[in-house]
Amino acid sequence: MMTSTQPPVHRKAKGYRWEGVVVQPYKEDARALFKAVTRQVLFADPQQGSELRYFEIAPGGFSSLERHAHTHDVLILRGHGHCLVGREVREIVTHDLIAVPPMTWHQFRATGKEPLGFLCMVNAARDKPQLPTPEELAEFEQDPRIADFLNGTR
């Protein structure tokens, strides 16, 4: 993670790994369902009050379905896939921008043959993710497009 006390330049290494930046597990929360995701914190300067993180989802992988009080701003750097934001399922490709408003359900899936890699800007002080209840999941399943997305068939 880069702070104001670290050198201002980190050279990109092979395969979207930056020198001096630790590749971390996506989550430590065993309750959240996700598959094949890594996380790198690229910038975390307390003076900015935000973090810039790089996530990578392996082909066939997905992030957890969750919502928070904070926003997410996402830039797709590589690969393609689909995302759920609220009740909208969208195809996403390199250079797309995705804004996730507060308290909005969201999930990202890598549906191509290469990893889906994206930058994500968030508040440095974040609330803990909220996971859907069984009742909320059942409500999502009522919409065929969302059901296909959650089941990995879209």
Side-chain angles (χ1 to χ4, degrees):
M1 145 173 48
M2 187 169 177
T3 65
S4 56
T5 60
Q6 292 179 322
V9 175
H10 282 256
R11 300 282 179 211
K12 186 187 96 161
K14 276 184 153 180
Y16 290 85
R17 301 292 186 251
W18 286 261
E19 294 174 6
V21 178
V22 177
V23 177
Q24 302 172 338
Y26 170 58
K27 298 212 180 273
E28 287 80 28
D29 188 342
R31 300 172 307 132
L33 180 63
F34 59 89
K35 179 182 172 186
V37 185
T38 61
R39 167 175 62 106
Q40 296 176 72
V41 178
L42 303 179
F43 292 99
D45 189 334
Q47 295 179 43
Q48 290 181 321
S50 61
E51 285 185 7
L52 180 62
R53 303 176 297 169
Y54 176 74
F55 291 92
E56 193 165 277
I57 304 174
F62 53 89
S63 65
S64 58
L65 174 61
E66 60 189 35
R67 66 182 178 183
H68 322 261
H70 62 275
T71 63
H72 293 270
D73 294 311
V74 174
L75 167 62
I76 306 299
L77 286 185
R78 70 186 294 208
H80 71 275
H82 288 81
C83 70
L84 171 69
V85 178
R87 300 196 66 81
E88 293 283 325
V89 175
R90 300 281 176 132
E91 183 174 5
I92 50 178
V93 297
T94 303
H95 302 138
D96 280 353
L97 297 170
I98 299 102
V100 180
M103 296 310 291
T104 302
W105 293 111
H106 58 281
Q107 184 178 52
F108 293 84
R109 289 184 173 268
T111 55
K113 295 181 193 258
E114 69 174 309
L116 175 65
F118 56 90
L119 294 173
C120 181
M121 178 71 78
V122 294
N123 297 351
R126 297 178 302 282
D127 59 310
K128 190 172 181 129
Q130 295 178 16
L131 303 176
T133 65
E135 295 79 19
E136 289 166 324
L137 283 174
E139 184 181 326
F140 279 128
E141 291 287 336
Q142 297 302 310
D143 183 325
R145 187 173 163 136
I146 295 175
D148 286 349
F149 172 83
L150 293 175
N151 293 321
T153 56
R154 173 172 292 277

